[in-house]
Amino acid sequence: MAKIKTVFYCQSCGTQSSTWLGKCPSCNEWNTFVEEVIQRNDNDKQSGLSNFERASKPISISEINLSDEPRVSSYNNELDRVLGGGIVPGSVVLIGGEPGIGKSTLMLQVALNMKGSKILYITGEESEQQIKMRAERIGMHNKECFILTETNTQNIFQQIEQLKPAVIVVDSIQTLHTQVIESSAGSISQIRECASELQRFSKLTNVPVFLIGHITKEGTLAGPKILEHMVDTVLQFEGDRNHGYRILRSVKNRFGSTSELGIFEMQSTGLREVSNPSEILLSQRDENLSGIAIAAMVEGLRPMLVETQALVSSTAYSTPQRSATGFDLRRLGMLLAVLEKRCGFRLGAKDVFLNIAGGLKVDDPAIDLAVVCAVLSSSENIAIDAKTCLAAEVGLSGEIRPVTRIEQRISEAEKLGFEQIIISSYNMKGLDIKSKSIILKPVKKIEDVFDLLFG
Ligand code: TYD
Ligand code: MG
């Protein structure tokens, strides 16, 4: 009989220890060690993987044929884009995101849309009826999409062997359990073992596997970080639940760039692919309103124009309020300090609220100038011309700094019908101005921008 063995696992990073520890030596978290029973059976047949096993031999790198492994399209342009051009056979893709963000919807939609290949959608979260209801809602049908409500990996591999699907979706990795290990589903050791079984299976059979993973309150993937190390690609599905827009971001990708971005809109009939993001990120308005500035930003490799909105009002309290949605609050504080200190705008007695339209979270520093201008516009109560956009970083001394990919930003703004774009003078070097119908307004300091827009 196999010996019962218990091991302590850090629930935050997955570090293993034979004794209980108060502080994890690896991630420095306190009180995260939990004892888990693991009973490893020496018999590897138990895992159910032995049927797929084949011995591999060393092969010269020059003999490995790349064209043997073409990418498979998921028939979803946004997903294909984030994956780096389609699904790679034999790859394991982890999709993380908060509950209710639409992970199950996205994968079911992909499964229903991939006509011509057999898809197995394994769920431990919902019943067949619930899945069917969702499929009805999405309004797609695919005879080749099979649903399996099962959580035991041994049974799953048995079904896979019979069905021979071309793509497998697991919803979610936290609900699976393997009988090789004797601890409860969702525990670190179970997640790790199940993911490793699926990964081995995928490598042995060349069948791509999509794993859906839950996310903790802190925003990291629930379960161990190790999960991220084991899979080939980690995608993050994010967005504001109150807004319709969802962003699929690649966090790790062994087969492509991590700067790609997919945008979807959650509708009553499922997720719609958004191929022109600027359309949704610019709100429709008939008249010019103060407090609005348009930033020409680049997310990943995609240029898009985003509306930043600011509201500046006199404060009723002794400490003025600062609030930012979709933008780093500390960076807003810094920009306000720059305005106050270097340019003499009195904002200390004002409340400042900032919002990025569409529920987008922006890291691109090129949005700085738009934030500053939106604040100034609201504070002065003068609207910025709706056909003007901005792309520049603001430095601590109020200087307007150049940003990357300026050509791309300008072309996007031009394409969307903007008439002028305000950029840093340092970005003008090497720009071909003549071929552009949009007017470029180079600026060096915040004061220049102020004169240009409100002077
Ligand atoms: P779901 O895909 O179950 O999220 P997750 O698997 O990430 O937890 O569903 C997300 C939400 O989307 C749910 O609150 C209902 C909503 N929804 C729509 O708005 N339209 C639709 O067509 C579907 C299927 C869901
Ligand atoms: Mg779900």
Side-chain angles (χ1 to χ4, degrees), residues 9 38-41 44 47 49 153-154 157 173 176-183 187-200 224 226-227 230:
Y9 281 105
I38 55 166
Q39 183 173 27
R40 263 197 175 277
N41 292 302
D44 203 32
S47 74
L49 264 175
T153 54
Q154 282 71 35
F157 285 127
I173 182 72
L176 293 193
H177 68 93
T178 169
Q179 63 197 41
V180 176
I181 275 183
E182 218 170 74
S183 59
S187 65
I188 300 277
S189 43
Q190 278 290 0
I191 294 177
R192 187 153 76 168
E193 191 61 31
C194 293
S196 110
E197 279 178 16
L198 283 163
Q199 192 233 21
R200 258 156 57 212
I226 332 161
L227 202 52
M230 275 177 355

Side-chain angles (χ1 to χ4, degrees), residues 220 276 436:
T220 51
N276 181 7
K436 302 211 161 41

Side-chain angles (χ1 to χ4, degrees), residues 102-116:
K103 304 179 293 294
S104 308
T105 308
L106 175 69
M107 286 327 295
L108 183 65
Q109 208 163 323
V110 169
L112 292 172
N113 207 11
M114 279 185 78
K115 301 246 161 74

Side-chain angles (χ1 to χ4, degrees), residues 49-59 200 203-205:
L49 264 175
S50 53
N51 297 340
F52 300 104
E53 222 93 44
R54 61 178 151 84
S56 58
K57 286 196 212 118
I59 176 168
R200 258 156 57 212
K203 295 285 169 287
L204 288 171
T205 57

Side-chain angles (χ1 to χ4, degrees), residues 271 312 394:
L271 288 157
V312 178
V394 176

Side-chain angles (χ1 to χ4, degrees), residues 133-392:
M133 266 160 61
R134 180 174 292 147
E136 292 287 313
R137 193 166 168 192
I138 295 169
M140 283 197 271
H141 304 275
N142 183 2
K143 264 196 246 144
E144 295 287 276
C145 174
F146 293 85
I147 309 293
L148 174 65
T149 47
E150 179 60 69
T151 54
N152 183 313
T153 54
Q154 282 71 35
N155 298 348
I156 289 174
F157 285 127
Q158 230 169 40
Q159 297 302 327
I160 290 175
E161 213 191 330
Q162 282 174 14
L163 189 71
K164 299 204 167 39
V167 178
I168 294 171
V169 179
V170 177
D171 187 2
S172 65
I173 182 72
Q174 274 91 359
T175 56
L176 293 193
H177 68 93
T178 169
Q179 63 197 41
V180 176
I181 275 183
E182 218 170 74
S183 59
S184 58
S187 65
I188 300 277
S189 43
Q190 278 290 0
I191 294 177
R192 187 153 76 168
E193 191 61 31
C194 293
S196 110
E197 279 178 16
L198 283 163
Q199 192 233 21
R200 258 156 57 212
F201 159 79
S202 169
K203 295 285 169 287
L204 288 171
T205 57
N206 242 2
V207 173
V209 177
F210 285 89
L211 303 176
I212 292 179
H214 290 188
I215 228 167
T216 59
K217 277 190 224 90
E218 291 81 41
T220 51
L221 275 159
K225 259 268 184 245
I226 332 161
L227 202 52
E228 292 188 16
H229 294 300
M230 275 177 355
V231 302
D232 300 303
T233 304
V234 180
L235 305 180
Q236 189 95 3
F237 206 30
E238 50 192 52
D240 200 325
R241 224 185 316 170
N242 302 322
H243 285 83
Y245 304 109
R246 302 281 184 271
I247 292 168
L248 191 63
R249 212 184 275 280
S250 155
V251 183
K252 159 184 175 179
N253 195 350
R254 284 189 185 148
F255 312 110
S257 129
T258 50
S259 51
E260 283 298 355
L261 201 74
I263 302 183
F264 298 90
E265 185 186 3
M266 181 63 94
Q267 295 181 327
S268 58
T269 52
L271 288 157
R272 178 180 73 90
E273 296 169 38
V274 176
S275 46
N276 181 7
S278 301
E279 273 171 21
I280 58 161
L281 296 170
L282 299 173
S283 67
Q284 273 67 43
R285 57 194 154 119
D286 299 328
E287 50 181 323
N288 279 354
L289 301 169
S290 68
I292 293 177
I294 312 290
M297 52 167 249
V298 173
E299 262 291 350
L301 297 173
R302 257 170 128 178
M304 48 181 91
L305 280 107
V306 179
E307 190 174 301
T308 54
Q309 305 170 331
L311 177 66
V312 178
S313 66
S314 321
T315 181
Y317 307 100
S318 51
T319 17
Q321 288 190 69
R322 304 275 181 257
S323 144
T325 315
F327 189 73
D328 184 19
L329 193 58
R330 271 180 298 177
R331 185 136 190 110
L332 174 64
M334 183 214 101
L335 292 174
L336 293 178
V338 169
L339 279 181
E340 176 114 37
K341 179 94 177 177
R342 310 274 176 190
C343 317
F345 301 108
R346 298 249 156 265
L347 289 161
K350 305 272 192 188
D351 289 339
V352 178
F353 305 95
L354 185 77
N355 180 36
I356 309 294
L360 206 69
K361 285 192 186 66
V362 183
D363 302 322
D364 187 0
I367 199 173
D368 281 0
L369 190 57
V371 169
V372 165
C373 290
V375 169
L376 287 176
S377 163
S378 176
S379 161
E380 300 288 315
N381 203 18
I382 302 174
I384 299 172
D385 176 46
K387 293 278 177 216
T388 298
C389 62
L390 311 109

